[in-house]
Amino acid sequence: MKDSEVTLITLPDVHVISAWAFNPSPENDAWEQLKAFAEPLGLLQPKNKPIIFGFNNPCPSLGSPNYGYEFCLVADPSVKATGDLKAKVLSGGLYARMEFDPSGTDFSVSIPAAWERLNAWVAASSYQQGSHQWLEEHSPKGIPQALLLPIEKTGK
């Protein structure tokens, strides 16, 4: 992996509208909840440059087919959540960000492979994994397009 494939970014704390689902494949259910809320308000329009993050919450565990996935749409604090959605602040921090193109692939293969590449980059760098939330950045259609691994500087 070339260093140019990874960029370092600092995300500020952001106000988000969050949708969550818990089942054997929660990504679609959480996305449909968020989309049903955001589309009528025009929040997913490309002209509005929506910023959408997602992450497992909780992560899969041995012995259970179920896990959670949470989508977070960055929104102005004046946007109020409705129904099962929640308004909250997503804490920021320093991240190693890597774009990838999962189109035409099996997400259950392409996403873990991309995470492995990003983890390998961090392991070979002067950074170590941080303790803040890891994130997957999504397109306005809910398609993953970049990974953000929390990092912090090491003493190397």
Side-chain angles (χ1 to χ4, degrees):
M1 166 180 279
K2 296 178 187 172
D3 285 355
S4 62
E5 294 176 356
V6 175
T7 56
L8 302 181
I9 63 168
T10 300
L11 291 179
D13 294 353
V14 290
H15 177 267
V16 298
I17 301 298
S18 166
W20 177 80
F22 183 80
N23 59 49
S25 55
E27 291 87 352
N28 190 55
D29 292 343
W31 174 249
E32 289 302 320
Q33 288 178 47
L34 186 65
K35 187 170 83 167
F37 169 81
E39 276 187 341
L41 299 175
L43 299 175
L44 297 178
Q45 293 293 318
K47 69 179 180 178
N48 293 329
K49 298 180 180 165
I51 300 172
I52 305 159
F53 297 114
F55 53 92
N56 290 349
N57 178 19
C59 289
S61 62
L62 282 169
S64 174
N66 297 319
Y67 65 99
Y69 198 83
E70 185 171 347
F71 271 101
C72 295
L73 171 64
V74 176
D76 187 272
S78 65
V79 176
K80 303 299 180 202
T82 60
D84 291 335
L85 300 174
K86 294 191 177 0
K88 66 182 200 175
V89 173
L90 187 64
S91 296
L94 181 61
Y95 287 90
R97 181 182 185 274
M98 183 183 76
E99 292 186 16
F100 73 107
D101 181 7
S103 60
T105 63
D106 179 353
F107 288 167
S108 68
V109 173
S110 64
I111 293 174
W115 277 113
E116 284 181 26
R117 291 193 311 274
L118 185 54
N119 276 307
W121 182 91
V122 171
S125 76
S126 60
Y127 295 90
Q128 64 187 16
Q129 187 167 340
S131 59
H132 44 295
Q133 180 62 56
W134 60 268
L135 301 166
E136 295 172 341
E137 187 178 333
H138 295 263
S139 75
K141 295 188 182 221
I143 306 297
Q145 60 189 20
L147 306 177
L148 287 82
L149 186 67
I151 58 172
E152 56 189 33
K153 195 78 168 149
T154 65
K156 289 184 189 177

